[in-house]
Amino acid sequence: VLAAQFVGPYVSSIMTALGAIIVNATKMQPLVMGAVVSVVVGITLTLPISSAAICMMLGLDGLAAGAATVGCCANMIGFAVISYRENGFGGLMAQGIGTSMLQMPNILRNPRIWIPSIAASAVLGPVSTMVFKMENIPIGAGMGTCGLVGQVGTIAAMGEGSEVYMAILLLHFILPALITLFVARVLRKWGWIRSGDLKLDL
């Protein structure tokens, strides 16, 4: 307990400083950092660790948080739509507004099923930072579409309005679905993704 009390503040300070570096780097290099943040946080969301907690510890906000949200959405919506043929509506909802972490056992068996979501994250991260200039708050940055917390956070950061709602619809739902479906279709033709690879035990 004493060790935790002694080390805790230093860890918190380090995480806060690292978060500030990421936020500032994303402002200065929105193309590269948009892709990096989107991919890394999206991967973190699907791994059995808490991307939301990490984003809050880092204090991610602004453009960096917007890119993080897009990466999370690419994983959640991506896995939801490309696995629809195996998992139906239940799987769509479980992953789309629940968590893409459900696919971890399948990823371990065939890591190639992760490629469509990672590709969508890499493409849409820079679109988020450079074109739509999407923003978010720390609590929404690592949540994606889980309970629609990422979308509520986006509205909290950017305000309400038709342009914001359209950007959310495009970058959090429509484009992640279209890109992952396209990439997955190519990978299915190559035999990298086979029937049953995305099946969940629901």
Side-chain angles (χ1 to χ4, degrees):
V1 175
L2 290 175
Q5 290 178 343
F6 179 76
V7 175
Y10 292 99
V11 173
S12 178
S13 298
I14 291 170
M15 293 296 285
T16 301
L18 179 59
I21 291 171
I22 294 170
V23 168
N24 290 325
T26 305
K27 291 177 183 177
M28 292 186 290
Q29 295 291 336
L31 175 62
V32 175
M33 288 302 295
V36 170
V37 171
S38 182
V39 169
V40 171
V41 179
I43 288 173
T44 304
L45 175 92
T46 302
L47 292 171
I49 53 179
S50 176
S51 57
I54 291 172
C55 287
M56 290 182 67
M57 289 174 67
L58 291 171
L60 286 191
D61 60 11
L63 292 177
T69 307
V70 167
C72 293
C73 293
N75 276 261
M76 296 179 68
I77 298 299
F79 275 118
V81 297
I82 67 172
S83 69
Y84 181 78
R85 64 173 70 180
E86 284 100 343
N87 301 307
F89 184 74
L92 184 75
M93 298 302 291
Q95 297 169 93
I97 61 172
T99 176
S100 54
M101 199 183 299
L102 294 170
Q103 286 290 347
M104 272 312 300
N106 292 330
I107 290 171
L108 293 175
R109 285 189 286 268
N110 180 10
R112 289 171 174 173
I113 66 172
W114 214 346
I115 294 175
S117 294
I118 293 174
S121 300
V123 170
L124 294 177
V127 174
S128 169
T129 54
M130 298 183 69
V131 179
F132 289 90
K133 302 189 185 305
M134 299 291 284
E135 298 184 6
N136 211 324
I137 56 178
I139 195 170
M143 291 294 286
T145 53
C146 180
L148 302 181
V149 175
Q151 291 63 58
V152 173
T154 300
I155 293 169
M158 300 180 67
E160 297 186 32
S162 58
E163 291 185 358
V164 174
Y165 294 141
M166 183 57 67
I168 289 172
L169 189 62
L170 281 173
L171 289 182
H172 293 181
F173 296 95
I174 296 175
L175 292 179
L178 292 177
I179 293 173
T180 51
L181 282 170
F182 173 76
V183 176
R185 184 176 181 181
V186 173
L187 297 185
R188 288 183 192 275
K189 286 184 176 180
W190 291 353
W192 285 18
I193 298 178
R194 301 173 299 275
S195 178
D197 279 352
L198 293 150
K199 177 67 177 174
L200 298 176
D201 294 325
L202 297 175

